[in-house]
Amino acid sequence: MTSPAYGLFPAADFMVTMGYRADSATIPQARWFFREETIAVPAHGRPIEGLDPRLSATEALLGWNALTLPGSARDYPDLVWIGSPELIEQAWIDAEGENLRFAGELTGFSLTPRLESNRSYYNADSTDFFAQRELRLRGKTDGGRFVARSIWPADFRLDPDTAFKPIAATPEAIRAFVRSEPRGGAQSNFTTQVIWQRDADSRRHRAGSPLIGIMLNGAQGDDDEAHGGHFGLFTGRVGPQGQMHDWLMANFYTLETESEKGIIAAMLPLECYLADLNGGQAWYRPSYLLVATLRDERTALHLSSALARVFNQFYRHQFAYHHAAANCTGICVSTLRTIGWRVPSLGPSSWLKAIAGLPVVAATSGSLSKGKAIFDYLTEDQTRLFPTIAFEQAGADLLRLVKGSATRELTPYEGLLRQDVEEIMLVRIPQLPSDRAWGNYPVASVDEYRQRLPKDPAKQQIVPVDPRHFPPGLKDPAAPDMKPLRSDYAVAAYAALAVLIGGFLLRFMSRSRRGKRAAVPGQRNG
């Protein structure tokens, strides 16, 4: 059994409560989003991040980073979304999935209800999978039965005996790992691979080591809007036997709609992020982790504190989630770059295609918003747009940093990473069996995305979602206005161009008419 934790912080430093019961130390906007959810909030006296409501998220993070040495701030996240109040370790379910055995006791076992909007759920294949292994569960006891909300396989952990298999410090080598198994490893075994180590004894010091990590989730098999996958960052410590369930994941997700799976953007334990019965990523796609263990926690603490600050700005609507300009990947990559890890940029896909595409898509679809969307996608830095590209670029860059082969001058944060990283591992987590279609590896370009889509639009699977209406009273009046999108400027430029062309044509036609009148002989008055 491991000591409970939320990432780098002991669970004992938090209080478990419901969102509507949380005290005033938790910002009201966050309390509103989690009003009916079980959360953990820092105990009184624990330091939490501050904020200046007049600054944009970028300005606030830049200012904090400039004044804060990595490791000097041990700020706790404002809240951790845990979903359920009870935790059970070292448990087993029977072959029928009806009973749960733990601590020498036998109790009834059932599942949290499936959300009506969720298109698939746990089935007999799930029971067969979980009945073969030790489990860790979050849920609550109800009427003498344990009702599970998340189910984590205890054998999903860093293998202490895994072989050292170094790879080249290139994005192509990272991509090869992700795509090496059929369907991206959705139906493969859990895999750990050490790809870099400071010395041959690094693994002996792994237990208890602080860490930073990058998460790439694959493509869903039954949602044609989700072929690009998902992206996030996490921090934590390696468990005594390589456990990873309590690493703290930063999951940026749109707040403007109600997720069909019940997902809310939050910092949450890895076991909840991956294995929540409705919203867990592992239920509908394979996942890939790049894990860097550290000899000192300073860079991990700095990243954790930075992410907590961004979440507070996000809940306050200082900026909005946008599928091109500020999606899960863009928010995370921008955070890394702001604190000093300059993840390489690949630049936009194509400005020429974007300039041509906006009016064409708007005209053919009858939707200006769709034309603007394609413009924003094609002009966004690919490292901020595609989860796969960010995972490959960041992973390869970290390998170059620790190997001393980076060609740029390092920032102070990058210098600390170079000093502190002990090991780098790649981890593949398969999709959990259920009645959901098997997922795949995520696409890495607009062209790959189009190849995945069914040619017949009628066969494309799009999951409808309802809007989430943020209460106007929770909008901070001191918050700065959000900046226009690139497509807003493009539309304004097209409008200005249309006015210029229209004016030129009017003048041309006017001159042409005057010329024709001058060419007609005048008539005499009788």
Side-chain angles (χ1 to χ4, degrees), residues 53-346:
R54 300 165 299 176
L55 299 178
S56 70
T58 300
E59 292 169 337
L61 192 58
L62 279 169
W64 169 81
N65 186 67
L67 298 173
T68 308
L69 292 174
S72 64
R74 192 178 180 83
D75 295 330
Y76 285 62
D78 205 50
L79 67 86
V80 176
W81 183 27
I82 59 175
S84 298
E86 297 178 37
L87 172 66
I88 293 177
E89 291 190 280
Q90 297 179 336
W92 290 262
I93 61 171
D94 59 23
E96 293 74 31
E98 294 291 332
N99 294 291
L100 181 69
R101 179 167 53 88
F102 68 99
E105 301 289 335
L106 192 68
T107 188
F109 177 72
S110 57
L111 309 173
T112 192
R114 168 181 169 176
L115 295 176
E116 185 178 348
S117 54
N118 195 357
R119 303 174 73 187
S120 61
Y121 203 62
Y122 185 109
N123 67 357
D125 293 332
S126 313
T127 297
D128 291 343
F129 177 82
F130 288 119
Q132 301 176 41
R133 47 191 28 92
E134 179 187 327
L135 304 174
R136 175 184 164 95
L137 307 102
R138 286 187 179 273
K140 61 182 180 180
T141 302
D142 184 11
R145 301 180 68 83
F146 185 79
V147 183
R149 174 154 178 172
S150 68
I151 308 175
W152 179 259
D155 56 331
F156 281 15
R157 62 180 70 188
L158 302 180
D159 182 357
D161 299 319
T162 188
F164 175 45
K165 297 180 180 178
I167 65 173
T170 64
E172 293 77 13
I174 303 289
R175 182 175 298 188
F177 173 83
V178 170
R179 302 189 178 191
S180 61
E181 294 285 327
R183 301 198 67 86
Q187 295 171 267
S188 302
N189 293 325
F190 178 92
T191 302
T192 305
Q193 178 179 333
V194 178
I195 60 173
W196 183 85
Q197 56 188 15
R198 188 168 296 276
D199 55 61
D201 291 333
S202 294
R203 73 181 65 187
R204 295 177 57 190
H205 312 297
R206 185 185 302 165
S209 296
L211 60 90
I212 59 173
I214 306 169
M215 170 77 73
L216 172 64
N217 305 110
Q220 297 183 41
D222 59 358
D223 185 348
D224 287 311
E225 290 185 308
H227 293 301
H230 198 62
F231 184 91
L233 303 170
F234 57 88
T235 56
R237 297 182 188 279
V238 180
Q241 289 81 44
Q243 291 93 337
M244 53 197 292
H245 52 260
D246 58 8
W247 298 352
L248 193 61
M249 181 74 194
N251 181 27
F252 289 101
Y253 200 85
T254 180
L255 295 172
E256 311 307 317
T257 59
E258 299 280 356
S259 165
E260 75 278 9
K261 306 181 189 76
I263 298 171
I264 307 174
M267 300 186 79
L268 70 170
L270 195 69
E271 61 189 346
C272 299
Y273 174 77
L274 288 171
D276 181 278
L277 281 159
N278 276 295
Q281 301 286 326
W283 286 103
Y284 41 95
R285 46 185 163 193
S287 299
Y288 321 90
L289 291 71
L290 185 137
V291 182
T293 61
L294 307 163
R295 63 176 62 180
D296 191 293
E297 65 179 11
R298 53 191 173 181
T299 52
L301 275 174
H302 199 67
L303 175 58
S304 177
S305 187
L307 290 167
R309 282 171 160 75
V310 176
F311 263 109
N312 262 1
Q313 300 281 27
F314 192 41
Y315 292 141
R316 294 173 64 251
H317 275 56
Q318 291 284 71
F319 68 98
Y321 192 96
H322 186 272
H323 288 289
N327 63 12
C328 57
T329 311
I331 297 170
C332 290
V333 170
S334 291
T335 300
L336 289 177
R337 288 173 175 168
T338 301
I339 66 174
W341 183 359
R342 295 174 298 174
V343 179
S345 169
L346 284 191

Side-chain angles (χ1 to χ4, degrees), residues 357-431:
L358 191 157
V360 170
V361 172
T364 56
S365 67
S367 170
L368 178 61
S369 63
K370 290 183 178 179
K372 290 180 61 182
I374 196 66
F375 186 93
D376 288 323
Y377 278 121
L378 290 171
T379 57
E380 184 56 73
D381 170 20
Q382 296 172 73
T383 309
R384 294 187 70 257
L385 180 63
F386 292 105
T388 291
I389 298 297
F391 189 72
E392 295 168 354
Q393 291 295 322
D397 192 58
L398 184 60
L399 283 171
R400 290 191 290 268
L401 289 176
V402 298
K403 290 181 176 181
S405 60
T407 56
R408 64 179 183 269
E409 183 179 351
L410 303 187
T411 67
Y413 190 82
E414 290 169 336
L416 293 179
L417 285 176
R418 181 177 178 180
Q419 295 174 32
D420 292 347
V421 174
E422 289 285 290
E423 285 184 300
I424 301 177
M425 287 165 275
L426 286 172
V427 179
R428 180 187 296 109
I429 298 178
Q431 183 173 336

